[in-house]
Amino acid sequence: MPEENILRGVPKAHYGAFGGVTPFPICLKAVSDYLGDELDYAYAIAACGGAFRFAWNTAEWDGGNVDIMLAYEDAELPFRYGITALGRAFKMLWREENIRRHPGAGTKEDFKAFIVEQIDLGRPVIALGPIGPGEAGILTGYRDGGDTLLGWSVFQDWEKLDLHEEGYFITDKYWEEGRDFHGVMALGDMQAPRWSIAQILPIAIAALEGRQEGSHAKGVAAYDAWKQAILGADKSDLKKDCEGMNLVMMCQGDATDCLVDGRGQAREYFKALAEEHPEQPLYGEIAEQFGIVADTIHHRIYKILRGYHRGKKQVKALKKLNNRKKIAQCIDEMKDADVKALALMKELLAKL
């Protein structure tokens, strides 16, 4: 096994890259760009189902609501869809058993072999972890036969880490201390054409369909759970500067981030289809409904909360019941738009 191999010039994966805030499609575009593929971020987040996801834990304030692994019952599906949609072979190795309802049993040696093999083929690896929480990042190289890893993490700008001259993080503690290092995946050889709208629509519909899976309300059903949570927040949840208030603010902020990124990019995806196919008005109608969701957050919820940040001003605004009632009205209107978009996508699929 070679001792070292570092790929140069892999685009940085970070919040805000390509105008997005969802780590997996950010990483998918960055790796695709490195491999020479042309990939729009709007296509990447639509093709993996991330543009249409929404989840809310009805049992507790859950900082993991925004996790793309909740898009479907099987945690692997967004990753499988995203890579397969590009026409590439999909390969993934999980670390733990039963992570988000998906089995895994890879050892450290298994992970090292997987990473080294892909890097030596000139392909960056998308990894869940190993720096910070288990969101997607990119592994761009290794040293010491794989005992040391290099790459990009969306969290690395907030942590003290050793850095490579390219800016990559460097870590040899990814296994022992990287408790959220859940899995690694590869963009394999090209083996099929890129997915068409006819292939993406079924997974979009499945993600947006309202349902309850375990303790999570998903798709359009998550709107009611979100509304009930913010309206039902009691004084203990909203205590000044307490851990509970921080969690409430996180859940509220993650919900708006998920929707403004996902539905905003869904609008762009369907707008592009509308321009390509002016004979089919449903593309534009679907784009319009998803646009209502994104615009409601941009122009109304952010205004109610005095900005999109999660600082003291936003905490103070969210603690006011009248503001939460205004947000609840926005939630109802966004749900209505998503319900209409869902019906229109089903109508479109029947016509393709």
Side-chain angles (χ1 to χ4, degrees), residues 119-241:
I119 297 295
D120 287 352
L121 287 171
R123 297 170 179 164
V125 172
I126 297 179
L128 304 178
I131 302 298
E135 291 281 8
I138 302 174
L139 299 178
T140 59
Y142 65 87
R143 290 174 176 166
D144 310 315
D147 285 327
T148 299
L149 300 180
L150 295 86
W152 294 120
S153 166
V154 295
F155 301 103
Q156 74 185 69
D157 291 339
W158 294 278
E159 297 193 27
K160 291 183 179 180
L161 299 164
D162 292 332
L163 298 178
H164 183 262
E165 61 187 25
E166 295 249 343
Y168 305 148
F169 68 76
I170 304 171
T171 180
D172 59 2
K173 299 179 174 63
Y174 61 89
W175 196 260
E176 293 75 13
E177 296 183 9
R179 59 184 177 81
D180 291 325
F181 187 13
H182 299 311
V184 286
M185 66 197 84
L187 278 68
D189 294 333
M190 282 290 187
Q191 58 182 18
R194 189 170 289 187
W195 278 7
S196 67
I197 180 60
Q199 291 167 289
I200 291 175
L201 274 175
I203 71 165
I205 291 168
L208 192 54
E209 198 80 70
R211 75 262 188 214
Q212 186 80 25
E213 290 176 1
S215 63
H216 287 91
K218 296 188 178 182
V220 293
Y223 283 103
D224 291 336
W226 177 20
K227 183 177 75 169
Q228 290 168 13
I230 64 165
L231 288 179
D234 58 29
K235 290 183 180 180
S236 63
D237 293 324
L238 303 172
K239 239 169 150 178
K240 183 180 178 182
D241 296 329

Side-chain angles (χ1 to χ4, degrees), residues 67 69 79 92-97 99-100 102-106 111 127-130 132-136 174-175 178-185:
D67 194 337
M69 287 196 284
F79 312 126
M92 185 165 190
L93 179 64
W94 290 87
R95 176 173 178 174
E96 301 104 334
E97 293 285 352
I99 175 69
R100 296 290 192 195
H102 199 284
F111 269 59
L128 304 178
E135 291 281 8
Y174 61 89
W175 196 260
R179 59 184 177 81
D180 291 325
F181 187 13
H182 299 311
V184 286
M185 66 197 84

Side-chain angles (χ1 to χ4, degrees), residues 17-83:
F18 317 120
V21 294
T22 307
F24 175 63
I26 286 173
C27 293
L28 193 61
K29 174 169 169 50
V31 174
S32 294
D33 286 354
Y34 179 80
L35 295 176
D37 300 342
E38 291 186 9
L39 181 63
D40 291 333
Y41 178 73
Y43 181 91
I45 193 171
C48 70
F52 313 100
R53 80 195 196 282
F54 190 33
W56 191 278
N57 192 332
T58 57
E60 60 182 345
W61 292 101
D62 185 350
N65 284 333
V66 75
D67 194 337
I68 200 171
M69 287 196 284
L70 291 170
Y72 306 96
E73 188 171 16
D74 184 340
E76 186 175 281
L77 287 183
F79 312 126
R80 180 177 293 276
Y81 289 154
I83 292 173

